[in-house]
Amino acid sequence: MIETGARKWIITLTVILAALLELIDVTIVNVSLPQIMGNLGATLDEVGWVVTSYTVANVIILPMSGWIGHKFGRKQYFLFSIVAFVIASFFCGHAHTLSQLIIFRIIQGLAGGGLLSPAQAILIEIWPPAEIGMAMALFGLGAVAGPTVGPTIGGFITDHFSWPWIFYVNIPVGAFAVFMAATFIRDTPKTGKDEKIDWWGIGFLAIAVGSLQVVLEKGESEDWFHTAYIVVLAAAAFFFLLSFIWRELNVEYPIVNFGIMKHRSFSIGMLTSFMLGFAMYVSVFVFPVFCQNILGFSALQTGELLFPGGIATICMMPLVGTLLKRGVPAQFLSTAGMIGFFIFSYMMASSNVFSGTENFFWPLIVRGLGMSLLFVPLTTLAMQDLKGKELGQGTGLNNMMRQLGGSFGIAISTVFLNSRIAQHRNMLIEHISNYNDAFTQKYNVIYNGFLTKGFSLTEAKAMAFRAMDGTMMKQVFLLSYNDVYLFVGTFLLCCIPLLYLQPFKKKPVIPTGGH
């Protein structure tokens, strides 16, 4: 039902606030992992499951969220998800062992999947068809800015409080969102209440998507297919994905209606959403590691660097919505966004070991502007031909593809990064030679420095070589991270032709009835 006046804006802010809970929690925990390791006595590999468990659960539920809202009522599902998310957040903060934390992160991830797609569908339902671009722009504030500002919030909480507060902070925000949603969002009918539940489809989907996500999250650290459980999970993902597709094409009431793939705009939109997730999550993943490991920035400094880019996105989103409303083709705006992201990548690829915080302000502003020009137009293009209850299915699949794009992007960029590290090391190690005047001069300065500090000849020689190796490896990592930025930027640039396979529509209208 289309809303007007203050009620429309209250509902809009409420669903964006709820969606932000889920989106921020994707990245807020990352900067607190070292503190969690020390407090719960976990290794680096073990604590990684705190992140993996959340994303796996999230990706499993996303494609089903449209069906669940259709079956039980969108408002009811949305409210249940907020309550479950808040309760899970409380128990995450109260966890005394790593196992407890992982279990409640899984529940948090399952609940979080019920915040994102229903929120997007509610916005589409309450805004007039001609203003859907603006509605998606407002939703995009959270979708793009959430993962970006997550590290900032996480860094501040970690530096000034203790790690449980990254979960406790969700409780008052979630409680407020529950009150507002219960008060202002109108009840939606349970249109699928007489339909049988496809338990086999749910099981196949959970195993397929969950296995794939674990492979992407843990593959690199487990040496990919040299580890038995990665091989088993990869095979399970392939087999159960085929089983799920066959099941959904032949069952009367499918969990995921693949019939919506007949819309060319949506089919291609799934690919462009994948690309968006690829670029967005890789850039958020690489930048903090680069700043902290290479340049020595603190977690809070790194988070603060990302904040202005998030503000740029927030400021730009309403303008993008206005341009779409006035008939500017979404393809043109998306093209500008991809070019902007490439410019950001090119600027980042020019970083050096002397780069300071001031050197990243404008590149991250360009990234923020580029992301705002990508999220809304790509979502509009993907959803423009869906009608009725197809919208619930479409928002779930679209969000899942963006999430999977991020997972694939991080996995691929990590493999690419390691290969470039090996290549750059082999290239630079050739210059470590007594016949290289630059190396000899640098080595002698360091060697003599250790001698003057009282070390023996043997100790000074060994320490000088270690220092030179450390300097070389810092340069190796710098060059490798720069290559990753160029790789991601070029990848997105090469995807521009896909946009023009989607039909042009002046002022695309997303129908809102019947869902």
Side-chain angles (χ1 to χ4, degrees):
M1 178 184 292
I2 294 174
E3 303 284 2
T4 57
R7 190 184 189 97
K8 178 181 75 173
W9 287 103
I10 290 172
I11 294 174
T12 297
L13 293 174
T14 299
V15 298
I16 290 173
L17 183 65
L20 265 173
L21 286 173
E22 192 274 340
L23 291 159
I24 289 176
D25 263 60
V26 173
T27 56
I28 192 175
V29 75
N30 292 1
V31 295
S32 300
L33 292 180
Q35 197 178 89
I36 294 173
M37 286 170 59
N39 191 255
L40 299 182
T43 65
L44 182 60
D45 287 341
E46 290 171 342
V47 82
W49 286 102
V50 174
V51 177
T52 302
S53 59
Y54 182 87
T55 53
V56 169
N58 211 236
V59 170
I60 286 173
I61 205 70
L62 278 173
M64 292 191 282
S65 58
W67 173 83
I68 297 173
H70 171 64
K71 176 78 176 174
F72 300 102
R74 185 172 298 122
K75 176 182 177 179
Q76 292 83 347
Y77 177 45
F78 187 61
L79 278 170
F80 173 81
S81 297
I82 302 175
V83 172
F85 191 89
V86 170
I87 293 173
S89 296
F90 173 80
F91 283 106
C92 282
H94 262 57
H96 297 294
T97 66
L98 185 66
S99 299
Q100 291 177 2
L101 180 57
I102 290 172
I103 289 170
F104 291 116
R105 281 287 280 177
I106 291 172
I107 297 172
Q108 198 183 37
L110 292 172
L115 297 178
L116 203 58
S117 298
Q120 197 171 2
I122 288 169
L123 280 185
I124 293 173
E125 191 173 46
I126 67 169
W127 278 71
E131 299 178 6
I132 291 300
M134 179 62 74
M136 289 300 97
L138 294 171
F139 181 79
L141 294 179
V144 177
T148 304
V149 302
T152 308
I153 299 172
F156 178 84
I157 292 174
T158 302
D159 285 357
H160 293 84
F161 303 96
S162 57
W163 68 264
W165 283 97
I166 64 176
F167 300 111
Y168 292 152
V169 74
N170 293 330
I171 296 173
V173 179
F176 178 73
V178 169
F179 171 76
M180 298 299 285
T183 305
F184 293 100
I185 297 177
R186 300 184 193 275
D187 288 329
T188 50
K190 303 174 185 179
T191 52
K193 60 183 179 181
D194 296 326
E195 297 177 1
K196 294 180 180 179
I197 298 177
D198 179 19
W199 292 109
W200 285 104
I202 292 174
F204 290 160
L205 177 63
I207 296 172
V209 177
S211 299
L212 176 61
Q213 187 71 16
V214 172
V215 169
L216 294 174
E217 292 273 344
K218 293 294 183 181
E220 176 62 25
S221 62
E222 297 288 355
D223 199 20
W224 293 104
F225 299 110
H226 291 90
T227 305
Y229 89 86
I230 294 294
V231 174
V232 171
L233 289 178
F238 178 76
F239 174 77
F240 283 102
L241 180 60
L242 292 181
S243 301
F244 173 72
I245 293 172
W246 174 85
R247 173 76 182 179
E248 299 309 283
L249 292 175
N250 291 281
V251 74
E252 186 178 2
Y253 300 113
I255 297 296
V256 175
N257 178 19
F258 285 109
I260 63 177
M261 302 299 291
K262 68 179 182 291
H263 300 293
R264 179 160 56 102
S265 58
F266 182 74
S267 298
I268 298 172
M270 295 275 279
L271 294 176
T272 54
S273 292
F274 183 92
M275 292 153 28
L276 174 61
F278 192 105
M280 182 169 69
Y281 283 98
V282 168
S283 57
V284 172
F285 166 74
V286 170
F287 182 75
V289 179
F290 169 70
C291 287
Q292 293 179 54
N293 291 356
I294 306 301
L295 302 180
F297 296 169
S298 68
L300 183 58
Q301 277 182 307
T302 304
E304 289 172 344
L305 284 174
L306 290 166
F307 194 73
I311 298 298
T313 300
I314 291 171
C315 294
M316 189 69 178
M317 282 289 191
L319 175 60
V320 175
T322 301
L323 292 173
L324 286 170
K325 184 179 177 181
R326 292 183 177 178
V328 177
Q331 285 90 339
F332 293 170
L333 295 174
S334 299
T335 300
M338 290 184 177
I339 293 172
F341 189 87
F342 175 79
I343 293 172
F344 152 75
S345 301
Y346 183 80
M347 294 170 76
M348 290 300 299
S350 303
S351 303
N352 58 60
V353 293
F354 303 107
S355 295
T357 54
E358 69 281 357
N359 298 109
F360 300 112
F361 178 81
W362 286 113
L364 292 170
I365 291 291
V366 172
R367 178 192 177 277
L369 297 176
M371 285 290 109
S372 65
L373 287 166
L374 283 172
F375 183 87
V376 181
L378 290 181
T379 303
T380 303
L381 284 170
M383 308 297 290
Q384 63 184 354
D385 290 333
L386 302 188
K387 299 176 182 178
K389 64 182 183 181
E390 292 177 337
L391 282 168
Q393 294 272 356
T395 54
L397 287 172
N398 197 51
N399 287 318
M400 182 196 73
M401 288 301 291
R402 187 171 64 249
Q403 195 90 317
L404 282 178
S407 298
F408 270 95
I410 291 172
I412 292 171
S413 63
T414 303
V415 172
F416 179 78
L417 176 66
N418 288 335
S419 69
R420 297 304 294 167
I421 288 172
Q423 291 181 28
H424 284 304
R425 178 173 171 79
N426 290 337
M427 180 183 68
L428 292 181
I429 205 167
E430 295 177 359
H431 298 283
I432 297 182
S433 167
N434 291 330
Y435 299 103
N436 184 330
D437 291 338
F439 166 78
T440 303
Q441 291 175 12
K442 181 76 172 178
Y443 170 80
N444 286 334
V445 169
I446 297 173
Y447 173 69
N448 290 323
F450 284 125
L451 286 178
T452 58
K453 292 179 180 179
F455 291 99
S456 67
L457 295 176
T458 304
E459 289 174 332
K461 184 177 181 180
M463 294 172 70
F465 268 112
R466 283 199 296 272
M468 290 297 294
D469 184 67
T471 301
M472 182 195 69
M473 286 307 300
K474 191 172 184 178
Q475 190 66 30
V476 165
F477 281 114
L478 174 71
L479 293 171
S480 302
Y481 278 109
N482 288 349
D483 289 345
V484 172
Y485 283 117
L486 278 180
F487 165 70
V488 176
T490 304
F491 166 78
L492 205 59
L493 205 61
C494 293
C495 292
I496 288 177
L498 276 177
L499 301 173
Y500 295 89
L501 297 177
Q502 293 175 294
F504 277 83
K505 288 189 178 182
K506 191 173 182 180
K507 297 184 181 180
V509 173
I510 301 177
T512 59
H515 65 89

